[in-house]
Amino acid sequence: MKAEIRRRHPEQLPSFQPENASGKRIAVLVLGDIGRSPRMQYHALSLAQAGHHVDLIGYAGTQPIEAIRSHARITVWHVAIPRQLSVASRTMLLMLGPIKVMYQILLLLWLLLVSIQKPRYILVQNPPAIPTLFVAQLCAWLTGARLVIDWHNYGYTILGMKVGMSHPAVSLAQRIERLFGRNAFAHLCVTQAMADDLKRNWGIRGQLVVLYDRAPRHFKRLQLNELWQRLLQDPQLKPLRLMSAGNKALLTERSEDGTIAMRQARPMLIVSSTSWTADEDFSILLDALKRYSKQASDASDGSLPPLAVLITGKGPLRKHYEQEISRLQLQNVGIATAWLSAEDYPLLLGSADLGISLHTSSSGLDLPMKVVDMLGCGTPVCAYRFACIDELVTPANGLVFSSAEELAQQIEQLAISQRSTSAGLYSKLIQGAAEFRNVDWETNYKRVLDLL
């Protein structure tokens, strides 16, 4: 059991320091890749910066942000699941799922009750609900800790996307999630719609707080010199590098006296971030780009600029869509796929002209973190329309679409507006995205610190 738990910086031993008058011991539990869980990393960092000692527990994989790795009050605990139990197919999921759950229960119980110092609070991400909520409830009861559940979505709805909502396993998962998710010291929700649903349909007990995702303060629009230094340095971006030449970068150019300015006939840089899963239909974006390519080729006045499209992320469907992209024969559109570090990702968003989100919610009650990041960098957004997206994307900072045709029209409209000399739609959205940045994660998090 001990061999499956790895501690990130044992030399500092913060997990066994006594609590001071202001700092509390807080366990932050996310049963997923810590490096790909930005909200839980921000929780841990904000709590540590407030003087608390944090044990951040989750899977290894993507490296956490540098601020997490170097903070003396944060200990990262990586739990490992045997590869044989990590399966993707529906049949194997139903067969090995119960074995994996029992393994996770034993592993987490050992870690929360033996490996770390007794916490005063346990902050757990949901989903996954199984077995996290049960383990968190049991450990909170045994240790006397206060439980805080951070509701990102409903786990049973995600399972329903894999096996079908009518499957008996989904009904069982829903009952388990309701049973162990109902009672807690506090419930944090990513949307008002989710808070309303929990209150109305789940009989939630405990304090209910809407904590919207917000980008941290270092997310920002890039300056021209930063664009010159950062763009196209990564070999993954080779397809976009072909759109620049000589002393010209993708978006900027350097004059003979060394002055850097935006290129006159530069492409429009579009960024889309994805986990390459079934809840994001990327064929919509590819179809929209084909429509744009045709329109740009037919426009004799050159009113539609070329597009440089960068799609970031990791996930099971990445190779499938990369093969589709390689078969496209598009004019005036360059497409690259890449995985960027946590440090480089906001630099990319801060240089983009437009962000596109294809996220659809399994419950209809959560919001895409990628859109928060885009707006946090001052980049306007086109987002796929679903139930509560208007809590994040408004007419002031973005547009919503329901089809490839609608998305293609929006890209054309914004591309033309961006190059207009008079203030138009694009200028309005840029201003709205800048205003979105007025409330960052650190400012928003004060309400959570008040709970503690």
Side-chain angles (χ1 to χ4, degrees):
M1 186 70 67
K2 292 182 180 179
E4 302 302 325
I5 301 173
R6 298 192 300 276
R7 196 173 180 184
R8 230 205 63 80
H9 39 251
E11 70 281 0
Q12 295 176 356
L13 297 180
S15 283
F16 299 94
Q17 295 173 352
E19 293 183 358
N20 56 39
S22 60
K24 299 178 177 66
R25 177 69 51 184
I26 301 176
V28 177
L29 174 60
V30 47
L31 206 58
D33 184 342
I34 293 175
R36 297 176 67 183
S37 305
R39 181 175 169 102
M40 301 311 287
Q41 291 186 79
Y42 298 159
H43 273 301
L45 188 59
S46 294
L47 292 169
Q49 289 173 341
H52 303 298
H53 301 280
V54 179
D55 292 297
L56 178 56
I57 303 163
Y59 293 155
T62 306
Q63 195 173 46
I65 58 177
E66 170 60 27
I68 292 286
R69 303 196 305 268
S70 61
H71 205 293
R73 288 179 179 267
I74 299 176
T75 302
V76 178
W77 298 83
H78 285 145
V79 296
I81 299 297
R83 180 174 298 178
Q84 296 87 334
L85 297 180
S86 300
V87 294
S89 70
R90 171 174 171 170
T91 303
M92 295 301 293
L93 174 68
L94 296 175
M95 290 176 57
L96 297 181
I99 300 175
K100 179 179 179 180
V101 167
M102 289 304 301
Y103 188 91
Q104 290 172 322
I105 289 174
L106 295 175
L107 198 63
L108 293 176
L109 285 175
W110 178 269
L111 200 154
L112 288 167
L113 298 177
V114 178
S115 297
I116 69 172
Q117 186 176 331
K118 184 173 72 171
R120 292 278 295 278
Y121 291 87
I122 299 175
L123 171 59
V124 57
Q125 172 186 301
N126 184 70
I130 301 173
T132 351
L133 291 182
F134 164 72
V135 172
Q137 291 280 8
L138 178 59
C139 291
W141 179 69
L142 291 174
T143 63
R146 287 177 165 178
L147 177 63
V148 179
I149 302 176
D150 193 24
W151 293 86
H152 296 201
N153 202 344
Y154 295 155
Y156 77 91
T157 64
I158 297 176
L159 177 61
M161 293 186 66
K162 297 179 180 179
V163 301
M165 288 300 294
S166 61
H167 197 283
V170 176
S171 178
L172 175 61
Q174 182 181 20
R175 290 196 292 270
I176 292 174
E177 192 166 9
R178 285 177 178 269
L179 175 63
F180 294 108
R182 182 174 293 122
N183 298 311
F185 169 72
H187 303 266
L188 309 178
C189 303
V190 294
T191 64
Q192 185 63 54
M194 178 171 285
D196 293 342
D197 186 69
L198 286 172
K199 186 176 182 179
R200 181 174 57 251
N201 298 322
W202 289 58
I204 286 296
R205 297 172 186 169
Q207 300 182 65
L208 196 59
V209 177
V210 177
L211 179 67
Y212 285 116
D213 282 315
R214 286 294 186 269
R217 287 175 183 153
H218 69 276
F219 279 50
K220 62 180 181 178
R221 296 298 291 171
L222 294 194
Q223 302 300 314
L224 291 181
N225 60 333
E226 294 176 284
L227 292 180
W228 178 259
Q229 294 168 8
R230 298 299 311 184
L231 287 179
L232 304 182
Q233 299 302 309
D234 194 313
Q236 299 175 99
L237 308 189
K238 183 179 178 180
L240 303 187
R241 189 181 299 115
L242 299 177
M243 304 180 76
S244 62
N247 64 345
K248 298 179 180 180
L250 184 65
L251 305 181
T252 59
E253 60 185 354
R254 187 193 298 270
S255 63
E256 294 181 358
D257 63 1
T259 303
I260 298 173
M262 297 299 275
R263 286 173 54 185
Q264 291 295 319
R266 70 179 182 85
M268 185 180 196
L269 178 59
I270 295 178
V271 173
S272 185
S273 177
T274 179
S275 54
W276 297 109
T277 52
D279 63 346
E280 294 180 326
D281 185 0
F282 253 78
S283 64
I284 294 177
L285 175 59
L286 300 185
D287 189 14
L289 294 178
K290 286 189 284 187
R291 291 170 181 268
Y292 183 94
S293 175
K294 184 178 185 306
Q295 286 293 107
S297 299
D298 293 343
S300 58
D301 60 355
S303 58
L304 292 177
L307 301 182
V309 182
L310 179 55
I311 306 171
T312 71
K314 288 181 179 179
L317 296 179
R318 177 174 172 174
K319 287 186 177 179
H320 166 74
Y321 281 112
E322 284 180 333
Q323 290 174 352
E324 283 199 29
I325 292 170
S326 67
R327 290 192 290 267
L328 294 177
Q329 300 293 325
L330 302 182
Q331 296 180 346
N332 302 303
V333 177
I335 306 175
T337 60
W339 170 253
L340 301 181
S341 69
E343 286 73 28
D344 283 347
Y345 177 61
L347 295 174
L348 169 68
L349 297 185
S351 65
D353 297 304
L354 178 67
I356 293 179
S357 169
L358 295 161
H359 174 87
T360 57
S361 170
S362 62
S363 65
L365 300 172
D366 72 313
L367 293 171
M369 184 70 185
K370 69 197 73 178
V371 174
V372 174
D373 292 338
M374 292 168 183
L375 293 176
C377 287
T379 300
V381 173
C382 290
Y384 192 86
R385 181 183 284 107
F386 63 93
C388 64
I389 189 65
D390 59 349
E391 290 192 40
L392 178 60
V393 180
T394 70
N397 58 37
L399 304 173
V400 293
F401 60 88
S402 300
S403 65
E405 181 180 8
E406 193 174 5
L407 175 58
Q409 292 172 350
Q410 291 175 357
I411 296 174
E412 293 173 24
Q413 184 181 13
L414 293 174
I416 294 172
S417 175
Q418 183 190 30
R419 280 150 179 75
S420 174
T421 55
S422 59
L425 176 60
Y426 187 79
S427 297
K428 171 189 171 184
L429 298 186
I430 282 286
Q431 182 179 351
E435 292 174 355
F436 180 88
R437 298 186 65 248
N438 290 338
V439 179
D440 55 29
W441 172 266
E442 291 82 358
T443 303
N444 209 31
Y445 204 72
K446 291 177 182 178
R447 58 176 58 189
V448 176
L449 297 177
D450 290 341
L451 283 175
L452 308 181

